[in-house]
Amino acid sequence: MTRFSSSRLLYSLYSSANKTTSSSARHSSPITALFLNHTHYFSTGNLARAKESKDENWKESMEKLRNIGISAHIDSGKTTLTERVLFYTGRIHEIHEVRGRDGVGAKMDSMDLEREKGITIQSAATYCTWKDYQVNIIDTPGHVDFTIEVERALRVLDGAILVLCSVGGVQSQSITVDRQMRRYEVPRVAFINKLDRMGADPWKVLSQARAKLRHHSAAVQVPIGLEEHFQGLIDLVNMKAHYYHGSSGETIVTEEIPADMQALATEKRRELIEVVSEVDDILAESFLNDDPISATELEEAIRRATIARKFVPVFMGSAFKNKGVQTLLDGVINYLPSPLEVTSHALDQTKNEEKVNLSGTPNGPLVALAFKLEEGRFGQLTYLRIYEGVIRKGDFIINVNNGKKIKVPRLVRMHSNEMEDIQEAHSGQIVAVFGVDCASGDTFTDGSVRYTMTSMNVPEPVMSLAVQPVSKDSGGQFSKALNRFQREDPTFRVGLDPESGQTIISGMGELHLDIYVERIRREYKVDATVGKPRVNFRETVTQRTEFDYLHKKQSGGQGQYGRVTGYIEPLPMDSPNKFEFDNMIVGQAIPSNFIPAIEKGFKEAANSGALIGHPVENIRIGLIDGASHAVDSSELAFKLAAIYAFRQCYAAAKPVILEPVMLVELKIPTEFQGTVAGDINKRKGVIVGNDQDGDDSVITANVPLNNMFGYSTSLRSMTQGKGEFTMEYKEHLPVSNEVQTQLVNTYKASKAPE
C-alpha cells in the first residue's frame, strides 16, 4: 500500500511540476525542486548508461575482431597455412593436404578444379575464433592471372599475412602482391614458411624482403634448427623457446632458450629493438637511455609501428610440419589492427566524389561493399564488408551504383562453401547475403547517404580466345555460364566477333582463360571448342588531320543529308580517357539534337580501325562545323556521316598498331642465362634488369605478348625444366614498321576470300 501511495505521490508531484509555469516553479518548495531534479537526472542517466554500455560492448567486440588476408607467391604454402589455422582454431577437426591425394583436398579450395590443380583461384572467406578473438580470413589466389581476386580481397582487409618461402625467397608474385598491399595501405606481418625444406635460409629471405620489397622489417622469432633438424622457435619478445608436440603440433611446450642459442637470441632481440626504435619514438627513448625493455613495451611498440605501416614483423615456421602456426595467430592478434584502428573513406556521390571518412560505428548509416559474387546452390551469393552501421535480415538496402532498393532475404556467415545463418551484423564484419542482384564493387547503403567505396583498379584484358559450344543444344547453358563469370570477375569480358559471329572471351592470360573454359565444362557440362589465342591489339593515330564529309542520299521520299567538319588528333599516351569528343560548333549549323548521333557514329567507327580491324584508342575528335537540311537530316544521316568521315581521314592521320607489352620475370640457373637472353632478344624483348640470386639469374624484360605464346614449353626445354617465369601486363606500345606491314597483310589476306 505504501509503495502504491508513494508512486502516486511521485506521479502527482511530477505532473504538477510539468503543469506549473516557470514563475510558480520559483515559488515551489526547494524540497520539491530537488526531488524533481533527481527524478529527471535518474531517468536520463539511466539512458546514457545503457547507451554507453551498448557502445562499450560494441567497441569490445570490434577490438576483438581481425579481418586478414593471406597472400603469397604461387606454391608458398598459403592454403596449407590456412588449413592449419582452421584446425588449431577448431573450425575443422582433421587436416587434409592441398593436392587432395586423400581425395578430400584442402578446406579452402572448394572448387573441384582447384583441388585437382592444387592452386587457389577464388578467395574463399572463412572465420574462426582464437583466444576470444574473431578472425575473418580471406584466402587469396597466388597466381598473377587472378590478381583481380587479390585486389578485391585486399580492398576489404584490415591486415594481411605475406607468406614467403624459405627456399624460393621473395619471388616475382610476392613483389606484385606486396605492391597491391601498399596501394591499399594494408598493414602486414610476414611469415617465412617451409623451414623444414632442404636449403631453407630464413635470414637470406629476410634480407631479400628488405632489399626487394623495401620492407623495414626484423624477425620476432628465431628457428631452433633448420631443414630436417627444425624443432621449434624462440620468441624474441618474451625470450622463451616454443616446441610443438602432438600428432598435429597442437600441444605447445614453452621452455627456456637452449644454452647454445642464447647468444644468437640476445643479438637478434637487440636487432629487433633497434629496427623498431627507428620508427617508434617511445621505444627509441628507452633504447637510447639503455633502459631494460620489457616484453610488454616491445610488443606495444611493434603493434604501433605495424599499424602505422612503418614496420613488418617477421614470423617463421613450417605449416606442413605444423610448427609456428599458433604463434603466428598470436602475432595476428597482437600486431594487426582491429577495424577501429583503420581509417576507411568513401566517396560522396552528392558532392562530386568528395572523400568522406567513415567512423566505423554501428550507430552511423549503413555502408557496405560487395567485394565478391558467387553463384551458389540457392542463387547468387554476395560477400559484403560492412564499413559502418548495422545490416539486419529483412532490412531494405539501396544499391548506390544502380539505385535499386533491395530487401535482405537471408544473412549468412561463410566458412569456405558452408554457411551459418545470422540475424544481424555490424560494421567491421564480413558476411554474405542471398538473392541480391548486383555486380562486384557495388556499394550498399540504407538510403540516408549516397556513398560509394573507392572504385577498384580493373586492368584491361590482354588476351582473347574464340569459343563455341560443341553441340547446338547447350547454347543456353553456355551463355548462362559466360554471364555469371562476367558478373563475378571484372577482368573477364565476353564479346562477339562481327565478321565470324564467334563468341570471343578476353582475360588476363592463357591460364586465366583456360580455367574459365574448364569451369564451363565442369560446372555447366558444356564442351567448348577453343580457337587460337588472339592478342588484343589496338590502333591509334599519330598526327592531326582534318575531315570534311558530306553524306547525301536521295532515293525517293525522305533522303539523307548530313555534313560534318572537324579534326582528329592523338591524345597523350598517359591520358585517362581513350576517346574524347569535343563539340566546338558555335551557333546552329547542326541542330543540337543530332550531336549525340554524331558522337555515337565516331565511337562506332573507332571500334574497328582500318589497319587490322582492332579498336582505335587515344584519339580526340573535334567537331568544328557542319550543315543540315530541314527535311532530309536525321540522326541516322549524321551517324553515317560521322562513320564515313572517320574512315576517310583515318589513313591521313598516320595510324599505327599498338600491341600489349608484358613485364616478364624469369628465374633461371646462371648457366642458361646466355641462351635465355638470346631467346628474349629473338622474341623482340627488351631486357631491363639482370640480378643474381645465389646460383640463379633473375632476368626482367619487356616482351610483346604476341611473341610469348607457348613460352613455358620453350623455357622448360632451354633450362632442362629448371626455369620459371611470370608475366603481367605493362602497357600498349607501337609495333615496328615491319611487324605492322605483316599484321596488315595478314588481315587483308583473311578479308580477301570474302
Side-chain angles (χ1 to χ4, degrees), residues 25-71:
R26 268 202 304 276
H27 300 306
S28 66
S29 78
I31 296 169
T32 320
L34 187 76
F35 185 72
L36 277 171
N37 283 345
H38 267 274
T39 349
H40 180 66
Y41 172 77
F42 177 74
S43 57
T44 52
N46 249 8
L47 276 170
R49 267 198 297 278
K51 189 172 187 300
E52 257 171 46
S53 72
K54 186 185 170 189
D55 274 8
E56 272 168 28
N57 285 348
W58 162 77
K59 271 214 162 99
E60 202 174 298
S61 75
M62 284 287 270
E63 275 160 13
K64 295 204 163 186
L65 181 64
R66 298 285 180 274
N67 291 320
I68 62 159
I70 301 180
S71 306

Side-chain angles (χ1 to χ4, degrees), residues 456-486:
M456 296 183 299
N457 282 357
V458 177
E460 281 290 308
V462 291
M463 189 176 279
S464 304
L465 278 178
V467 285
Q468 59 187 70
V470 175
S471 71
K472 289 275 188 287
D473 311 337
S474 48
Q477 283 291 83
F478 182 67
S479 54
K480 197 168 153 192
L482 295 181
N483 285 342
R484 172 192 153 188
F485 297 150
Q486 260 181 297

Side-chain angles (χ1 to χ4, degrees), residues 42 162 369:
F42 177 74
L162 180 66
L369 174 75

Side-chain angles (χ1 to χ4, degrees), residues 621-678:
I621 287 164
L623 187 63
I624 298 170
D625 199 2
S628 65
H629 187 280
V631 178
D632 288 356
S633 285
S634 64
E635 286 192 1
L636 176 66
F638 275 108
K639 184 179 158 186
L640 290 171
I643 292 173
Y644 293 131
F646 183 86
R647 289 182 188 165
Q648 184 193 45
C649 71
Y650 188 60
K654 297 240 168 80
V656 290
I657 297 170
L658 304 175
E659 64 180 343
V661 172
M662 309 301 276
L663 179 67
V664 180
E665 186 168 297
L666 301 124
K667 194 170 183 184
I668 48 166
T670 308
E671 70 248 36
F672 304 116
Q673 190 179 348
T675 325
V676 172

Side-chain angles (χ1 to χ4, degrees), residues 711-724:
Y711 186 62
S712 49
T713 320
S714 53
L715 181 69
R716 270 192 222 112
S717 60
M718 279 186 290
T719 60
Q720 299 167 8
K722 294 174 192 164
E724 56 178 59

